[in-house]
Amino acid sequence: MANSNSSSYTTGMEETKRSTEVCLTFPPKVISPGLATILVEKDKDEQLMNYSGPRLHCQMVVIFVLTQIIHRLLKKLGLPLFISQILAGILLSPMLFSDRHSLVNISEDSVSVLGTVGALGFVFFLFLSGVKMDLSLTLKSGKKAICIGLLTVVVPLIFCMTTIKNLHPEGNEFSNKSFFLAVTYSGTSFPVIHSLLSELKILNSELGRLGLSAALIGDIVTLVLTVFSLWVKTGIEKGIKEALMDVGLALLFIVIVVFVLRPVMKWMVKRTPEAGQIKDMCFFIVVLAFMMSPRFTKLFRVYFLFGPFILGLAVPDGPPLGSALVEKLDPIISGLFLPIFATTCGLRFDPSYFKDSTKFAHHQAIGAVVTLLIKFVVSLLVPLLCKMPTRDSFALAFIMISKGIVEMGSYSIMNDSRVISEDIFTHMTIVIILVASIVPILVKKLYDPSRKYLCFQKRTIMNSKLNQELRLISCVHVPSNVSSIINLFNASCLIRDSSIALDVLHLVKLSGRATPLFIAHHKQKKTQPNKSYSENVVLAFEQFERDNREAVSVNVFTAVSPPNLMYEDICNLAMDRLTSFIILPFHRRWYIDGSIESEDQTIRSLNFDILERAPCSIGILVEGRRNLKGSNVRDPLASNNSSSYNIAVIFMGGQDDREALALAKRISQDKNVSLTVIHFKAANSLGAILTENDRMLDDAMLSDIKQSKCLTYIEKQVKDGPETSNYLRSIVEDYQLIIVGRRYKRENPQTSGLQEWCEFQEIGIIGDLLSSADFIGKYSLLIVQQQQQRTT
């Protein structure tokens, strides 16, 4: 059965037509009788690849394997996965495979099935992109982001229209789809820029946040201009009356989404218990609304790709509804359907159209390139005028011109719909591939957020005077971290003469939204949106500050970001607040009986990242089997009524041990704290790895300890690690807190034989030993690493 479909496009002022003849077989063959049956019957007309089901499965496998092979080769060059998917489609295109019985059969019915699956993934991707976007952030964007987002769309659009007008003076700017195409050339895609920043791991950086804010503004401007260009096109082709009808129906569609569907979804969220999961029925209703949105957009004369996207914008972002949609749908969409769609876009690419392109296509290609260059210049000049560093300005300019799956998908759908011709699609595909390949490499070369952590100023406890305020950061992941930190500071018996400025950073996993958040909680401003993330944390530390008035000042912050990028928030806060010491919770927690309560490997990875990058000293707090001073955190008098708290410092020498001792000396200023310094010395000095400078610094620091009458100094000579372990096992029950240096990659006679048993490298040999199941006690551990001096 044959079906012919013809449409027209314009070249200059002339109108030409192209027609395509499509042959389909009815009824369609979907499920094969089985490979064994086909082989037994040996019917030449019965081929396995004639059935759409097995053929689709084979095509998906071939696409996945080929994409991974290409990506393994190109990943070393810094090229994104998107390029590998496009190249896989080009390699599977009719240029190489034309046998209709091959695994990658490119017949019309074969491509239609594969394309339908991919197109479904693209529409789902647009819906989820809308879910992740938070339009309220546009009101909070700074002037710099607004200027960049607005000017990088409008100015290139003007230059593009001017260029095309000069190339074709007798043409009409709004005919031949020139204005609509110019908007697509100059537009900014928020999902593409978000994907780029995530892949480069700079989403949380200062540049990443500025790029996201500018992209959000630019995407909204692009959406408005695209809709306006479609209305203008309708007005020219069909008259003002039809254009006004489109405007009215589009506004009605937006009103229904905003004032009917969004309140319904907010009602679903309100009915969900706090910290609970959305009901399955509510989840399915939203998915059903999404599946119906393309049909509704047709009724309201809205471009069908805008319907799912606008519906996604109406979904309340974040937990419980937005996060549920993203967590359940994003893995299969991003991992399966979207790669298939990218590959089918590559299948459409035919370089023969590049040679035989029309004059109109050449003009459009020149306009697209000019637009790209002007967009880059505008993105560069605005940050430079705002006195941004030159390298950062260039990096931002490349970020703003990035192209990706959204542009590729839009041109592919316009090509299928005969909105653009094959030669224009070929030109745009080449532009997208070049830009998407070059931009990640250049941004990575130009911008390295870790450079700002190269702190030449020493920010350690050793370099902080005892009578000066000590600036600390404490990180919180779960409620038990709050009680552990408060108990730790209560144990130190805070005094006015040695005050502490404590910044508490509540780290929340980014879920159901694309833009990271960094919230500074002000006690005077009781704003519900901010408190919803960290209300209990804020209340607990407000009470702690009141209980220790004039000895502690507390500021609470919340960082909502991806777990693998949380180190950016911590390090940035440490740089901004001139912090000397960061306290990180250990990734494992125990019950009172010593069994493991919970373990989070993402926290462990975060701790490793901070240990490598932090611009100051670090401490990892290992919670004890029992709290330092009882389980009731809310009873501030419990810390003041106890007669004494026994704290021990394990000292073997080196900068980490000196930092641990400096922290202990600061804690021991109160008479209620009993500090014991246990100095392990090697019975045989042979094999000691301390330098002469380390020995001198150790001796200078220990001399004050030995002369002090308020401290207990114990010197213990040991032969090897097992002897050290036996001694520690005999005394740990006498202390509530034990402070040790990390001493990473430092093994000396005192710890010989223990390295191979070390499970957690981030807390060092002694820290790992004291946290093992062999040591049973009420103590907590604080493992200290002094600020690492790094070079460029």
Side-chain angles (χ1 to χ4, degrees):
M1 180 176 181
N3 176 32
S4 64
N5 180 19
S6 65
S7 61
S8 63
Y9 69 99
T10 308
T11 58
M13 296 296 293
E14 299 178 356
E15 187 177 86
T16 62
K17 293 186 177 181
R18 56 174 173 171
S19 61
T20 303
E21 186 173 279
V22 180
C23 296
L24 302 176
T25 301
F26 288 97
K29 297 180 178 181
V30 180
I31 303 175
S32 71
L35 181 61
T37 304
I38 294 175
L39 292 176
V40 170
E41 294 179 356
K42 297 181 179 181
D43 187 351
K44 293 182 179 181
D45 295 329
E46 287 294 327
Q47 299 289 337
L48 185 65
M49 292 301 105
N50 287 344
Y51 295 87
S52 58
R55 186 174 58 231
L56 176 62
H57 296 159
C58 292
Q59 288 171 336
M60 292 169 64
V61 171
V62 171
I63 288 172
F64 175 79
V65 173
L66 185 58
T67 299
Q68 293 303 315
I69 292 174
I70 297 174
H71 187 57
R72 285 186 65 88
L73 298 175
L74 300 182
K75 187 177 181 180
K76 297 179 181 179
L77 301 177
L79 298 181
L81 181 61
F82 166 70
I83 295 298
S84 301
Q85 294 164 353
I86 295 294
L87 293 179
I90 294 175
L91 293 177
L92 297 176
S93 65
M95 292 187 300
L96 297 180
F97 293 92
S98 58
D99 180 11
R100 72 185 192 91
H101 298 304
S102 65
L103 290 178
V104 288
N105 190 300
I106 46 84
S107 61
E108 188 65 33
D109 57 338
S110 169
V111 173
S112 64
V113 174
L114 187 65
T116 301
V117 174
L120 177 63
F122 183 64
V123 176
F124 255 112
F125 171 75
L126 293 177
F127 170 68
L128 292 178
S129 297
V131 172
K132 296 176 184 177
M133 290 175 64
D134 184 4
L135 291 182
S136 65
L137 294 179
T138 57
L139 304 175
K140 304 174 185 177
S141 300
K143 295 180 180 179
K144 187 191 300 183
I146 294 175
C147 289
I148 295 172
L150 181 62
L151 294 178
T152 53
V153 176
V154 176
V155 175
L157 175 62
I158 296 173
F159 273 85
C160 181
M161 294 301 299
T162 304
T163 301
I164 294 176
K165 179 65 176 177
N166 292 334
L167 292 172
H168 194 63
E170 63 274 14
N172 187 330
E173 291 86 347
F174 294 100
S175 66
N176 308 332
K177 311 175 184 68
S178 293
F179 182 64
F180 173 74
L181 291 175
V183 173
T184 64
Y185 303 152
S186 62
T188 301
S189 173
F190 178 85
V192 169
I193 291 180
H194 177 270
S195 177
L196 172 67
L197 297 174
S198 298
E199 191 166 345
L200 295 177
K201 297 184 179 180
I202 57 173
L203 194 65
N204 280 19
S205 65
E206 185 179 355
L207 183 70
R209 292 178 185 274
L210 176 59
L212 276 182
S213 299
L216 182 61
I217 300 294
D219 205 337
I220 295 172
V221 174
T222 302
L223 179 63
V224 172
L225 288 174
T226 303
V227 174
F228 176 74
S229 67
L230 291 173
W231 290 340
V232 170
K233 177 177 173 292
T234 301
I236 293 174
E237 294 179 355
K238 300 180 181 180
I240 300 296
K241 185 177 180 180
E242 287 294 322
L244 292 177
M245 180 67 71
D246 285 356
V247 173
L249 289 174
L251 293 177
L252 179 60
F253 175 75
I254 294 175
V255 168
I256 293 174
V257 171
V258 174
F259 295 102
V260 178
L261 297 182
R262 182 170 173 82
V264 170
M265 289 185 282
K266 283 189 173 182
W267 175 79
M268 296 177 183
V269 171
K270 288 182 180 179
R271 293 198 53 172
T272 304
E274 186 176 354
Q277 294 183 349
I278 197 78
K279 292 182 179 179
D280 290 341
M281 180 60 69
C282 298
F283 175 83
F284 294 135
I285 289 174
V286 175
V287 174
L288 179 63
F290 154 74
M291 299 295 288
M292 296 173 62
S293 60
R295 174 59 60 182
F296 279 111
T297 55
K298 185 176 181 180
L299 295 175
F300 289 95
R301 298 185 183 181
V302 178
Y303 188 45
F304 79 99
L305 291 180
F306 291 164
F309 181 70
I310 294 174
L311 179 62
L313 290 175
V315 176
D317 63 295
L321 182 55
S323 59
L325 288 169
V326 173
E327 289 174 0
K328 292 181 179 180
L329 298 178
D330 194 56
I332 190 170
I333 299 301
S334 300
L336 178 62
F337 290 106
L338 202 60
I340 293 176
F341 178 73
T343 303
T344 58
C345 292
L347 282 170
R348 294 175 172 87
F349 178 77
D350 190 347
S352 63
Y353 287 101
F354 185 76
K355 298 178 181 179
D356 304 327
S357 59
T358 61
K359 186 177 180 181
F360 178 69
H362 279 301
H363 292 170
Q364 291 297 320
I366 294 172
V369 173
V370 170
T371 304
L372 198 66
L373 294 175
I374 297 301
K375 190 180 183 73
F376 177 82
V377 172
V378 174
S379 304
L380 176 64
L381 290 179
V382 175
L384 287 176
L385 292 175
C386 296
K387 298 181 179 180
M388 183 181 287
T390 304
R391 290 176 65 92
D392 293 359
S393 299
F394 270 97
L396 180 62
F398 282 114
I399 289 172
M400 295 306 297
I401 67 168
S402 59
K403 304 291 183 183
I405 187 64
V406 173
E407 290 81 7
M408 193 76 241
S410 299
Y411 290 127
S412 296
I413 292 174
M414 285 191 286
N415 179 42
D416 293 343
S417 305
R418 301 297 190 259
V419 176
I420 61 174
S421 57
E422 295 281 2
D423 46 2
I424 293 179
F425 173 75
T426 302
H427 283 92
M428 293 303 102
T429 300
I430 293 173
V431 171
I432 291 172
I433 291 175
L434 290 176
V435 173
S437 301
I438 295 172
V439 165
I441 299 174
L442 293 178
V443 173
K444 196 171 184 178
K445 292 287 185 182
L446 289 167
Y447 184 70
D448 181 10
S450 62
R451 284 182 299 154
K452 60 188 174 186
Y453 306 144
L454 297 175
C455 183
F456 297 101
Q457 180 183 1
K458 290 189 176 182
R459 294 181 182 175
T460 65
I461 298 176
M462 283 185 62
N463 293 95
S464 302
K465 296 181 180 179
L466 290 176
N467 58 352
Q468 287 184 345
E469 185 180 61
L470 180 64
R471 294 183 175 273
L472 306 177
I473 290 178
S474 292
C475 298
V476 172
H477 294 279
V478 293
S480 65
N481 297 151
V482 176
S483 59
S484 299
I485 292 169
I486 291 178
N487 285 331
L488 173 66
F489 285 109
N490 283 336
S492 64
C493 300
L494 303 168
I495 58 176
R496 296 182 184 179
D497 296 336
S498 184
S499 60
I500 290 176
L502 177 63
D503 293 325
V504 179
L505 183 59
H506 185 202
L507 298 165
V508 180
K509 178 184 176 182
L510 181 68
S511 179
R513 57 183 301 133
T515 309
L517 289 179
F518 192 85
I519 304 169
H521 298 271
H522 300 289
K523 294 184 286 295
Q524 292 78 11
K525 299 179 181 180
K526 302 295 184 180
T527 55
Q528 273 311 42
N530 288 359
K531 289 180 65 179
S532 62
Y533 280 105
S534 311
E535 181 177 5
N536 293 332
V537 176
V538 173
L539 293 175
F541 280 99
E542 282 181 355
Q543 181 63 43
F544 171 67
E545 185 179 23
R546 286 192 293 268
D547 296 338
N548 297 275
R549 196 178 303 276
E550 298 184 9
V552 178
S553 61
V554 179
N555 288 304
V556 181
F557 302 87
T558 298
V560 185
S561 56
N564 64 325
L565 299 178
M566 285 179 177
Y567 68 86
E568 284 275 358
D569 296 304
I570 300 172
C571 293
N572 286 335
L573 183 62
M575 291 290 292
D576 295 339
R577 305 286 289 180
L578 303 177
T579 302
S580 298
F581 194 66
I582 299 174
I583 300 176
L584 304 171
F586 192 53
H587 69 280
R588 179 180 286 183
R589 298 194 303 275
W590 289 267
Y591 286 115
I592 293 177
D593 61 0
S595 59
I596 296 176
E597 175 187 356
S598 64
E599 188 170 7
D600 192 338
Q601 291 299 322
T602 59
I603 296 178
R604 188 184 185 193
S605 299
L606 174 63
N607 290 346
F608 270 113
D609 290 334
I610 298 298
L611 288 169
E612 293 175 2
R613 295 176 172 86
C616 61
S617 296
I618 307 160
I620 297 181
L621 178 62
V622 182
E623 300 178 19
R625 275 81 172 167
R626 298 180 184 178
N627 292 328
L628 286 174
K629 295 160 47 169
S631 59
N632 191 358
V633 177
R634 296 183 179 179
D635 183 10
L637 298 177
S639 61
N640 298 326
N641 291 339
S642 181
S643 59
S644 178
Y645 296 100
N646 298 322
I647 299 176
V649 178
I650 309 301
F651 190 89
M652 295 184 186
Q655 63 178 14
D656 291 347
D657 284 5
R658 291 194 295 271
E659 187 75 0
L661 189 54
L663 175 63
K665 286 174 64 177
R666 193 175 184 101
I667 292 176
S668 64
Q669 292 184 85
D670 191 270
K671 61 181 180 180
N672 290 327
V673 175
S674 175
L675 176 63
T676 301
V677 178
I678 304 173
H679 183 195
F680 284 101
K681 299 187 71 174
N684 184 0
S685 60
L686 296 177
I689 61 174
L690 290 177
T691 63
E692 188 63 31
N693 184 53
D694 278 333
R695 289 195 185 91
M696 292 176 61
L697 293 173
D698 292 345
D699 293 340
M701 197 157 194
L702 288 173
S703 62
D704 296 336
I705 300 295
K706 294 176 182 178
Q707 295 173 6
S708 176
K709 298 180 180 180
C710 302
L711 308 177
T712 303
Y713 175 77
I714 299 175
E715 187 174 296
K716 177 67 177 177
Q717 289 194 348
V718 292
K719 297 178 181 178
D720 51 21
E723 188 173 347
T724 302
S725 176
N726 292 333
Y727 180 79
L728 289 175
R729 188 179 287 106
S730 66
I731 56 100
V732 290
E733 292 187 1
D734 299 333
Y735 304 99
Q736 284 80 49
L737 174 65
I738 300 177
I739 305 175
V740 301
R742 184 190 180 202
R743 309 180 78 251
Y744 182 56
K745 292 184 179 180
R746 281 179 171 266
E747 187 174 7
N748 52 18
Q750 298 97 306
T751 58
S752 62
L754 298 178
Q755 175 66 41
E756 54 267 27
W757 301 101
C758 184
E759 182 181 2
F760 304 115
Q761 298 292 334
E762 65 270 28
I763 57 177
I765 297 175
I766 298 299
D768 182 82
L769 178 69
L770 293 172
S771 64
S772 65
D774 296 337
F775 285 71
I776 299 176
K778 304 175 183 179
Y779 60 90
S780 290
L781 279 174
L782 184 62
I783 295 88
V784 177
Q785 174 182 283
Q786 194 180 66
Q787 177 190 11
Q788 303 294 301
Q789 296 298 323
R790 293 178 292 272
T791 58
T792 56

